[in-house]
Amino acid sequence: PRDGRVIALANQKGGTGKTTVTGGVASCLAALGKRVLCLDMDVGLRNLDLTLGLSDRALMDFTDVLTGRCTLDRAAIPHPIIENLYLLTAPMTPLPGTLPKEGMAQLIRCAKEDYDYILMDSPAGLGDGFRLAVHAADRAIVVSTTDASALRDAQRTVAELTTQQSGSRSLGSLHKHQGSLGSTCKNRPPTYHLNKRMPTQKSNRTG
């Protein structure tokens, strides 16, 4: 089994290119021979399927996996052209209540066994979708344009990510990108606690 890396792409501000960067980086990793799962976390406003050209193929979403209606293997759709690239999309309509962090953590745990990289396209803002993605991520990339409002929101996002590290897990590294740019898995019992802790590294690279 693999031991995949889970990366959340985030920014409090919308329109900074998170979805574009997620699709582009995922495609490049897949072209390098890595098995990659793109996970759209933007419930009700998903667009990653459009970016990847998979809008007519995304029939199931991650809530189908969380509720046991299908397995991760069935819900993750392969890209018809780019080998090794898969998408698990978000629901089209907002959901009542809050999605369980423990269930998402279990989904990601299963995905890490089958994929080299899991890229999570988190929604704008610092609400439930952001926290759900961060809870399951090993590290984060803060995607920003160069205008002042986007950079300010990027700083706020980094501050929130730093706050999240006070829990039982730490995010590995924070990188600011400035540019325009059934059962969950094979009937395994749920295991929700992750022990991996990694030091935080901040980078000011703009490339």
Side-chain angles (χ1 to χ4, degrees):
R2 295 174 168 83
D3 184 18
R5 300 180 183 181
V6 186
I7 305 172
L9 290 92
N11 193 337
Q12 177 178 333
K13 184 175 177 61
T16 60
K18 295 184 295 293
T19 301
T20 301
V21 172
T22 301
V25 171
S27 299
C28 290
L29 288 171
L32 291 172
K34 304 298 182 181
R35 187 173 166 89
V36 184
L37 176 65
C38 291
L39 179 52
D40 195 333
M41 299 297 296
D42 201 349
V43 175
L45 294 171
R46 71 186 196 193
N47 282 311
L48 189 53
D49 56 335
L50 294 174
T51 298
L52 295 176
L54 295 172
S55 58
D56 59 339
R57 295 172 179 261
L59 302 179
M60 291 172 285
D61 57 65
F62 66 72
T63 61
D64 292 310
V65 182
L66 293 180
T67 57
R69 288 191 289 267
C70 69
T71 62
L72 175 60
D73 288 342
R74 184 181 175 191
I77 53 176
H79 198 281
I81 298 174
I82 305 174
E83 189 177 357
N84 299 315
L85 181 60
Y86 296 78
L87 170 67
L88 180 58
T89 192
M92 284 288 290
T93 57
L95 303 172
T98 303
L99 290 169
K101 290 183 178 180
E102 294 83 2
M104 182 57 69
Q106 173 63 7
L107 188 157
I108 295 300
R109 179 183 174 87
C110 295
K112 290 177 71 171
E113 297 179 1
D114 292 328
Y115 296 91
D116 297 304
Y117 289 91
I118 300 98
L119 302 186
M120 306 176 75
D121 182 18
S122 68
L126 302 176
D128 290 339
F130 167 82
R131 286 190 289 270
L132 198 64
V134 169
H135 176 77
D138 298 319
R139 59 187 63 199
I141 299 173
V142 177
V143 183
S144 180
T145 57
T146 55
D147 61 277
S149 62
L151 291 174
R152 174 180 289 177
D153 284 348
Q155 291 177 331
R156 290 172 179 168
T157 305
V158 170
E160 182 64 23
L161 288 168
T162 303
T163 301
Q164 295 290 327
Q165 294 176 39
S166 61
S168 61
R169 340 180 24 244
S170 292
L171 297 180
S173 59
L174 307 177
H175 299 278
K176 185 183 296 181
H177 174 88
Q178 299 175 6
S180 13
L181 295 177
S183 63
T184 304
C185 65
K186 302 175 184 175
N187 298 318
R188 294 189 182 92
T191 303
Y192 296 142
H193 182 65
L194 299 177
N195 294 316
K196 185 187 297 182
R197 296 181 63 87
M198 292 180 290
T200 301
Q201 300 173 350
K202 296 185 179 180
S203 172
N204 293 321
R205 295 174 60 184
T206 59

